[in-house]
Amino acid sequence: MARRRPAGRGGLSPSEIADRLEEAARTLRRLPDPPGSGPRGYGRSWPEYIHEAKDAYGWHEARLRVRPSPADIQQMEECFDWLRLVPVEEAQILWWRAEGLRWREVAIRAGCVRQTAWRRWVAALATIAKKLEARG
């Protein structure tokens, strides 16, 4: 995947901002769980014990989590800063769409009709693009 230009230089289009927010959501999902995120006293250092032979030889789907690079994390944090440029309600709509929620679910969570949620999403992307270009 080719790296995009940093947001500070030149303006990003609203569609590029939406793409970067989706990348940030994917990066956040790929981050490892922090130590101590589960209940206390339930950590273990031993691997899972295999109870049956059929479970030992790859009958289950492999679970592989590729950790993001420092550059991916830096871009994700930059996107979080962008969300501060718009009101909280609009930032939530932007993030829900970046996580891949369908418009119907976004509208239900935002408490409005689908078309209004879409208009707020477009307006928030345009606002971020305008403010980034003004910073530029």
Side-chain angles (χ1 to χ4, degrees):
M1 179 187 312
R3 292 278 175 216
R4 296 192 177 125
R5 66 182 181 268
R9 300 181 203 149
L12 289 174
S13 71
S15 63
E16 289 174 325
I17 292 171
D19 291 342
R20 292 274 300 270
L21 286 169
E22 288 174 11
E23 286 177 23
R26 280 193 298 273
T27 301
L28 187 63
R29 279 192 301 269
R30 288 177 18 213
L31 285 173
D33 295 328
S37 62
R40 282 191 137 187
Y42 287 97
R44 59 182 179 263
S45 59
W46 285 86
E48 284 284 327
Y49 181 75
I50 299 181
H51 296 280
E52 296 183 28
K54 69 175 185 167
D55 295 334
Y57 297 104
W59 292 98
H60 295 15
E61 186 175 326
R63 291 180 289 173
L64 179 66
R65 183 185 279 186
V66 179
R67 293 187 181 195
S69 68
D72 291 337
I73 294 171
Q74 184 178 7
Q75 284 186 347
M76 178 190 68
E77 291 172 346
E78 183 180 25
C79 289
F80 291 160
D81 291 337
W82 296 349
L83 293 175
R84 293 183 185 154
L85 300 175
V86 293
V88 174
E89 296 82 16
E90 292 178 5
Q92 287 176 331
I93 291 173
L94 285 173
W95 191 251
W96 290 330
R97 279 302 292 171
E99 287 183 332
L101 264 63
R102 298 176 61 101
W103 279 114
R104 183 175 190 277
E105 183 66 27
V106 170
I108 289 170
R109 288 186 180 192
C112 60
V113 296
R114 188 193 63 78
Q115 187 67 28
T116 303
W118 180 81
R119 273 192 241 118
R120 289 179 185 171
W121 178 74
V122 170
L125 290 173
T127 301
I128 290 173
K130 190 179 210 179
K131 288 185 178 182
L132 289 177
E133 190 163 339
R135 277 187 189 175

mmCIF file of all heavy atoms in Angstrom, residues 61-91:
data_model
loop_
_atom_site.group_PDB
_atom_site.id
_atom_site.type_symbol
_atom_site.label_atom_id
_atom_site.label_comp_id
_atom_site.label_asym_id
_atom_site.label_seq_id
_atom_site.Cartn_x
_atom_site.Cartn_y
_atom_site.Cartn_z
ATOM 1 N N GLU A 61 -9.774 -22.105 12.440
ATOM 2 C CA GLU A 61 -9.272 -21.014 11.618
ATOM 3 C C GLU A 61 -8.135 -20.314 12.368
ATOM 4 O O GLU A 61 -8.229 -20.061 13.567
ATOM 5 C CB GLU A 61 -10.401 -20.025 11.342
ATOM 6 C CG GLU A 61 -10.022 -18.940 10.382
ATOM 7 C CD GLU A 61 -11.196 -18.050 10.048
ATOM 8 O OE1 GLU A 61 -12.332 -18.544 9.994
ATOM 9 O OE2 GLU A 61 -10.948 -16.848 9.856
ATOM 10 N N ALA A 62 -7.077 -20.019 11.641
ATOM 11 C CA ALA A 62 -5.927 -19.360 12.266
ATOM 12 C C ALA A 62 -6.290 -17.932 12.644
ATOM 13 O O ALA A 62 -6.962 -17.225 11.895
ATOM 14 C CB ALA A 62 -4.752 -19.353 11.309
ATOM 15 N N ARG A 63 -5.866 -17.518 13.820
ATOM 16 C CA ARG A 63 -6.092 -16.155 14.270
ATOM 17 C C ARG A 63 -4.755 -15.442 14.270
ATOM 18 O O ARG A 63 -3.897 -15.713 15.102
ATOM 19 C CB ARG A 63 -6.696 -16.135 15.664
ATOM 20 C CG ARG A 63 -8.117 -16.658 15.695
ATOM 21 C CD ARG A 63 -8.661 -16.630 17.080
ATOM 22 N NE ARG A 63 -7.983 -17.677 17.854
ATOM 23 C CZ ARG A 63 -8.113 -17.870 19.144
ATOM 24 N NH1 ARG A 63 -8.886 -17.078 19.842
ATOM 25 N NH2 ARG A 63 -7.476 -18.841 19.753
ATOM 26 N N LEU A 64 -4.588 -14.544 13.329
ATOM 27 C CA LEU A 64 -3.335 -13.823 13.181
ATOM 28 C C LEU A 64 -3.626 -12.333 13.240
ATOM 29 O O LEU A 64 -4.479 -11.838 12.508
ATOM 30 C CB LEU A 64 -2.674 -14.176 11.842
ATOM 31 C CG LEU A 64 -1.369 -13.478 11.526
ATOM 32 C CD1 LEU A 64 -0.285 -13.922 12.509
ATOM 33 C CD2 LEU A 64 -0.952 -13.803 10.104
ATOM 34 N N ARG A 65 -2.948 -11.652 14.106
ATOM 35 C CA ARG A 65 -3.121 -10.215 14.219
ATOM 36 C C ARG A 65 -1.804 -9.559 13.849
ATOM 37 O O ARG A 65 -0.815 -9.685 14.564
ATOM 38 C CB ARG A 65 -3.519 -9.831 15.636
ATOM 39 C CG ARG A 65 -3.782 -8.344 15.772
ATOM 40 C CD ARG A 65 -4.058 -7.953 17.189
ATOM 41 N NE ARG A 65 -5.441 -8.251 17.523
ATOM 42 C CZ ARG A 65 -5.991 -7.902 18.653
ATOM 43 N NH1 ARG A 65 -5.313 -7.271 19.559
ATOM 44 N NH2 ARG A 65 -7.237 -8.205 18.901
ATOM 45 N N VAL A 66 -1.803 -8.886 12.714
ATOM 46 C CA VAL A 66 -0.603 -8.191 12.260
ATOM 47 C C VAL A 66 -0.565 -6.843 12.964
ATOM 48 O O VAL A 66 -1.493 -6.046 12.849
ATOM 49 C CB VAL A 66 -0.627 -8.002 10.731
ATOM 50 C CG1 VAL A 66 0.602 -7.265 10.275
ATOM 51 C CG2 VAL A 66 -0.748 -9.350 10.045
ATOM 52 N N ARG A 67 0.502 -6.632 13.675
ATOM 53 C CA ARG A 67 0.607 -5.379 14.420
ATOM 54 C C ARG A 67 0.931 -4.221 13.487
ATOM 55 O O ARG A 67 1.733 -4.369 12.571
ATOM 56 C CB ARG A 67 1.690 -5.506 15.486
ATOM 57 C CG ARG A 67 1.274 -6.491 16.540
ATOM 58 C CD ARG A 67 2.219 -6.517 17.676
ATOM 59 N NE ARG A 67 1.743 -7.514 18.628
ATOM 60 C CZ ARG A 67 2.174 -7.606 19.851
ATOM 61 N NH1 ARG A 67 3.113 -6.784 20.282
ATOM 62 N NH2 ARG A 67 1.700 -8.511 20.664
ATOM 63 N N PRO A 68 0.322 -3.065 13.725
ATOM 64 C CA PRO A 68 0.583 -1.915 12.854
ATOM 65 C C PRO A 68 1.977 -1.349 13.098
ATOM 66 O O PRO A 68 2.541 -1.463 14.186
ATOM 67 C CB PRO A 68 -0.495 -0.917 13.246
ATOM 68 C CG PRO A 68 -0.914 -1.310 14.615
ATOM 69 C CD PRO A 68 -0.692 -2.789 14.724
ATOM 70 N N SER A 69 2.509 -0.720 12.068
ATOM 71 C CA SER A 69 3.829 -0.103 12.170
ATOM 72 C C SER A 69 3.705 1.231 12.914
ATOM 73 O O SER A 69 2.609 1.783 13.044
ATOM 74 C CB SER A 69 4.394 0.133 10.772
ATOM 75 O OG SER A 69 3.644 1.138 10.114
ATOM 76 N N PRO A 70 4.828 1.766 13.387
ATOM 77 C CA PRO A 70 4.781 3.087 14.037
ATOM 78 C C PRO A 70 4.224 4.178 13.116
ATOM 79 O O PRO A 70 3.534 5.084 13.572
ATOM 80 C CB PRO A 70 6.236 3.353 14.402
ATOM 81 C CG PRO A 70 6.833 1.999 14.565
ATOM 82 C CD PRO A 70 6.136 1.145 13.551
ATOM 83 N N ALA A 71 4.501 4.080 11.809
ATOM 84 C CA ALA A 71 3.965 5.074 10.873
ATOM 85 C C ALA A 71 2.445 4.977 10.796
ATOM 86 O O ALA A 71 1.749 6.003 10.726
ATOM 87 C CB ALA A 71 4.576 4.874 9.493
ATOM 88 N N ASP A 72 1.908 3.746 10.824
ATOM 89 C CA ASP A 72 0.452 3.565 10.817
ATOM 90 C C ASP A 72 -0.168 4.162 12.070
ATOM 91 O O ASP A 72 -1.224 4.806 12.011
ATOM 92 C CB ASP A 72 0.091 2.082 10.731
ATOM 93 C CG ASP A 72 0.440 1.465 9.392
ATOM 94 O OD1 ASP A 72 0.533 2.223 8.403
ATOM 95 O OD2 ASP A 72 0.631 0.237 9.343
ATOM 96 N N ILE A 73 0.476 3.959 13.197
ATOM 97 C CA ILE A 73 -0.036 4.494 14.466
ATOM 98 C C ILE A 73 0.015 6.018 14.459
ATOM 99 O O ILE A 73 -0.910 6.686 14.919
ATOM 100 C CB ILE A 73 0.740 3.901 15.655
ATOM 101 C CG1 ILE A 73 0.472 2.395 15.740
ATOM 102 C CG2 ILE A 73 0.368 4.593 16.956
ATOM 103 C CD1 ILE A 73 1.333 1.671 16.730
ATOM 104 N N GLN A 74 1.080 6.578 13.893
ATOM 105 C CA GLN A 74 1.193 8.031 13.818
ATOM 106 C C GLN A 74 0.089 8.617 12.935
ATOM 107 O O GLN A 74 -0.524 9.630 13.291
ATOM 108 C CB GLN A 74 2.562 8.425 13.280
ATOM 109 C CG GLN A 74 2.799 9.910 13.260
ATOM 110 C CD GLN A 74 4.192 10.260 12.772
ATOM 111 O OE1 GLN A 74 4.939 9.396 12.333
ATOM 112 N NE2 GLN A 74 4.533 11.525 12.852
ATOM 113 N N GLN A 75 -0.204 7.968 11.804
ATOM 114 C CA GLN A 75 -1.286 8.437 10.941
ATOM 115 C C GLN A 75 -2.634 8.314 11.638
ATOM 116 O O GLN A 75 -3.510 9.166 11.478
ATOM 117 C CB GLN A 75 -1.305 7.656 9.632
ATOM 118 C CG GLN A 75 -0.220 8.067 8.684
ATOM 119 C CD GLN A 75 -0.348 7.394 7.333
ATOM 120 O OE1 GLN A 75 -1.105 6.440 7.172
ATOM 121 N NE2 GLN A 75 0.388 7.895 6.373
ATOM 122 N N MET A 76 -2.817 7.245 12.425
ATOM 123 C CA MET A 76 -4.055 7.066 13.171
ATOM 124 C C MET A 76 -4.235 8.210 14.175
ATOM 125 O O MET A 76 -5.315 8.788 14.292
ATOM 126 C CB MET A 76 -4.045 5.724 13.901
ATOM 127 C CG MET A 76 -5.267 5.464 14.756
ATOM 128 S SD MET A 76 -5.102 4.018 15.807
ATOM 129 C CE MET A 76 -3.846 4.545 16.964
ATOM 130 N N GLU A 77 -3.172 8.547 14.884
ATOM 131 C CA GLU A 77 -3.250 9.634 15.864
ATOM 132 C C GLU A 77 -3.530 10.971 15.186
ATOM 133 O O GLU A 77 -4.230 11.815 15.737
ATOM 134 C CB GLU A 77 -1.965 9.687 16.680
ATOM 135 C CG GLU A 77 -1.809 8.501 17.612
ATOM 136 C CD GLU A 77 -0.457 8.432 18.284
ATOM 137 O OE1 GLU A 77 0.485 9.146 17.835
ATOM 138 O OE2 GLU A 77 -0.331 7.664 19.244
ATOM 139 N N GLU A 78 -2.986 11.150 13.983
ATOM 140 C CA GLU A 78 -3.262 12.369 13.223
ATOM 141 C C GLU A 78 -4.753 12.455 12.883
ATOM 142 O O GLU A 78 -5.355 13.520 12.983
ATOM 143 C CB GLU A 78 -2.421 12.358 11.945
ATOM 144 C CG GLU A 78 -2.564 13.589 11.097
ATOM 145 C CD GLU A 78 -1.708 13.520 9.852
ATOM 146 O OE1 GLU A 78 -1.376 12.400 9.400
ATOM 147 O OE2 GLU A 78 -1.390 14.593 9.327
ATOM 148 N N CYS A 79 -5.351 11.327 12.536
ATOM 149 C CA CYS A 79 -6.784 11.297 12.235
ATOM 150 C C CYS A 79 -7.606 11.614 13.481
ATOM 151 O O CYS A 79 -8.651 12.269 13.396
ATOM 152 C CB CYS A 79 -7.180 9.939 11.673
ATOM 153 S SG CYS A 79 -6.557 9.650 10.008
ATOM 154 N N PHE A 80 -7.148 11.160 14.650
ATOM 155 C CA PHE A 80 -7.848 11.499 15.883
ATOM 156 C C PHE A 80 -7.827 13.001 16.120
ATOM 157 O O PHE A 80 -8.802 13.575 16.607
ATOM 158 C CB PHE A 80 -7.229 10.772 17.080
ATOM 159 C CG PHE A 80 -7.465 9.285 17.081
ATOM 160 C CD1 PHE A 80 -6.654 8.461 17.824
ATOM 161 C CD2 PHE A 80 -8.482 8.703 16.355
ATOM 162 C CE1 PHE A 80 -6.858 7.089 17.850
ATOM 163 C CE2 PHE A 80 -8.703 7.339 16.370
ATOM 164 C CZ PHE A 80 -7.884 6.529 17.120
ATOM 165 N N ASP A 81 -6.714 13.644 15.775
ATOM 166 C CA ASP A 81 -6.648 15.105 15.894
ATOM 167 C C ASP A 81 -7.636 15.777 14.943
ATOM 168 O O ASP A 81 -8.215 16.813 15.274
ATOM 169 C CB ASP A 81 -5.231 15.602 15.619
ATOM 170 C CG ASP A 81 -4.253 15.207 16.710
ATOM 171 O OD1 ASP A 81 -4.700 14.942 17.850
ATOM 172 O OD2 ASP A 81 -3.037 15.160 16.424
ATOM 173 N N TRP A 82 -7.828 15.211 13.767
ATOM 174 C CA TRP A 82 -8.793 15.772 12.822
ATOM 175 C C TRP A 82 -10.203 15.743 13.383
ATOM 176 O O TRP A 82 -10.987 16.654 13.128
ATOM 177 C CB TRP A 82 -8.792 15.000 11.512
ATOM 178 C CG TRP A 82 -7.531 15.045 10.743
ATOM 179 C CD1 TRP A 82 -6.441 15.846 10.957
ATOM 180 C CD2 TRP A 82 -7.217 14.232 9.618
ATOM 181 N NE1 TRP A 82 -5.479 15.570 10.035
ATOM 182 C CE2 TRP A 82 -5.921 14.598 9.205
ATOM 183 C CE3 TRP A 82 -7.892 13.240 8.931
ATOM 184 C CZ2 TRP A 82 -5.304 13.989 8.118
ATOM 185 C CZ3 TRP A 82 -7.282 12.643 7.860
ATOM 186 C CH2 TRP A 82 -6.004 13.023 7.450
ATOM 187 N N LEU A 83 -10.525 14.690 14.118
ATOM 188 C CA LEU A 83 -11.886 14.583 14.658
ATOM 189 C C LEU A 83 -12.192 15.684 15.662
ATOM 190 O O LEU A 83 -13.353 15.995 15.916
ATOM 191 C CB LEU A 83 -12.095 13.203 15.295
ATOM 192 C CG LEU A 83 -12.089 12.022 14.325
ATOM 193 C CD1 LEU A 83 -12.175 10.707 15.094
ATOM 194 C CD2 LEU A 83 -13.213 12.138 13.318
ATOM 195 N N ARG A 84 -11.161 16.285 16.217
ATOM 196 C CA ARG A 84 -11.360 17.392 17.165
ATOM 197 C C ARG A 84 -11.737 18.692 16.460
ATOM 198 O O ARG A 84 -12.126 19.657 17.104
ATOM 199 C CB ARG A 84 -10.096 17.624 17.982
ATOM 200 C CG ARG A 84 -9.781 16.494 18.902
ATOM 201 C CD ARG A 84 -8.575 16.806 19.737
ATOM 202 N NE ARG A 84 -8.212 15.653 20.547
ATOM 203 C CZ ARG A 84 -7.013 15.427 20.983
ATOM 204 N NH1 ARG A 84 -6.040 16.277 20.715
ATOM 205 N NH2 ARG A 84 -6.758 14.367 21.710
ATOM 206 N N LEU A 85 -11.612 18.730 15.138
ATOM 207 C CA LEU A 85 -11.904 19.936 14.378
ATOM 208 C C LEU A 85 -13.395 20.124 14.108
ATOM 209 O O LEU A 85 -13.800 21.163 13.599
ATOM 210 C CB LEU A 85 -11.146 19.918 13.040
ATOM 211 C CG LEU A 85 -9.624 19.855 13.132
ATOM 212 C CD1 LEU A 85 -9.024 19.712 11.748
ATOM 213 C CD2 LEU A 85 -9.076 21.071 13.846
ATOM 214 N N VAL A 86 -14.197 19.114 14.412
ATOM 215 C CA VAL A 86 -15.643 19.181 14.166
ATOM 216 C C VAL A 86 -16.377 18.911 15.477
ATOM 217 O O VAL A 86 -15.805 18.360 16.414
ATOM 218 C CB VAL A 86 -16.069 18.159 13.079
ATOM 219 C CG1 VAL A 86 -15.486 18.530 11.736
ATOM 220 C CG2 VAL A 86 -15.694 16.750 13.455
ATOM 221 N N PRO A 87 -17.661 19.286 15.547
ATOM 222 C CA PRO A 87 -18.427 18.987 16.765
ATOM 223 C C PRO A 87 -18.489 17.484 17.042
ATOM 224 O O PRO A 87 -18.343 16.658 16.141
ATOM 225 C CB PRO A 87 -19.823 19.534 16.441
ATOM 226 C CG PRO A 87 -19.611 20.549 15.379
ATOM 227 C CD PRO A 87 -18.435 20.083 14.592
ATOM 228 N N VAL A 88 -18.724 17.144 18.296
ATOM 229 C CA VAL A 88 -18.695 15.755 18.744
ATOM 230 C C VAL A 88 -19.680 14.888 17.965
ATOM 231 O O VAL A 88 -19.350 13.764 17.564
ATOM 232 C CB VAL A 88 -18.986 15.678 20.261
ATOM 233 C CG1 VAL A 88 -19.112 14.243 20.722
ATOM 234 C CG2 VAL A 88 -17.907 16.398 21.040
ATOM 235 N N GLU A 89 -20.888 15.387 17.718
ATOM 236 C CA GLU A 89 -21.895 14.602 17.007
ATOM 237 C C GLU A 89 -21.414 14.229 15.606
ATOM 238 O O GLU A 89 -21.622 13.106 15.146
ATOM 239 C CB GLU A 89 -23.220 15.366 16.921
ATOM 240 C CG GLU A 89 -23.873 15.644 18.255
ATOM 241 C CD GLU A 89 -23.285 16.876 18.954
ATOM 242 O OE1 GLU A 89 -22.592 17.692 18.289
ATOM 243 O OE2 GLU A 89 -23.514 17.018 20.165
ATOM 244 N N GLU A 90 -20.789 15.181 14.930
ATOM 245 C CA GLU A 90 -20.289 14.920 13.581
ATOM 246 C C GLU A 90 -19.075 13.999 13.625
ATOM 247 O O GLU A 90 -18.914 13.139 12.754
ATOM 248 C CB GLU A 90 -19.950 16.227 12.873
ATOM 249 C CG GLU A 90 -21.168 17.068 12.564
ATOM 250 C CD GLU A 90 -20.829 18.386 11.916
ATOM 251 O OE1 GLU A 90 -19.634 18.620 11.613
ATOM 252 O OE2 GLU A 90 -21.745 19.187 11.695
ATOM 253 N N ALA A 91 -18.238 14.159 14.640
ATOM 254 C CA ALA A 91 -17.075 13.280 14.770
ATOM 255 C C ALA A 91 -17.516 11.839 14.998
ATOM 256 O O ALA A 91 -16.903 10.904 14.459
ATOM 257 C CB ALA A 91 -16.187 13.757 15.920
#
